[in-house]
Amino acid sequence: FFQAEDGIRDYKVTGVQTCALPILEELMTDVRVKEEELRLRVEENQKLENEVSRLKEECNTYKGRCSNLQRDI
């Protein structure tokens, strides 16, 4: 609610007027959209981090195999 002390008043009405505007609903919709976007980004980051970890393990496995081969030669 906004108080109409600084706003337009009807000359027939006395006292402080309030006006309910649909601002909160619009803001909540924006917040929900931003939360969903953030959730999707977090999920994507987790997938990428998992893939990086997998690739590091794979590289370390190959490095180990290569160093064993060089010692055998």
Side-chain angles (χ1 to χ4, degrees), residues 39-49:
R39 187 187 64 76
L40 293 172
R41 286 183 181 173
V42 166
E43 282 181 10
E44 186 62 28
N45 277 346
Q46 288 172 341
K47 289 177 185 175
L48 291 172
E49 287 174 2

Side-chain angles (χ1 to χ4, degrees), residues 57-71:
E57 285 181 33
E58 191 175 321
C59 285
N60 288 333
T61 299
Y62 287 122
K63 284 181 187 176
R65 287 181 186 164
C66 288
S67 64
N68 288 340
L69 288 174
Q70 288 174 351
R71 276 188 264 151

Side-chain angles (χ1 to χ4, degrees), residues 19-40:
C19 175
L21 299 174
I23 292 173
L24 182 59
E25 183 178 329
E26 188 175 312
L27 288 175
M28 291 306 296
T29 300
D30 289 346
V31 167
R32 284 186 205 105
V33 167
K34 296 292 182 192
E35 285 176 338
E36 180 65 14
E37 289 173 357
L38 182 59
R39 187 187 64 76
L40 293 172

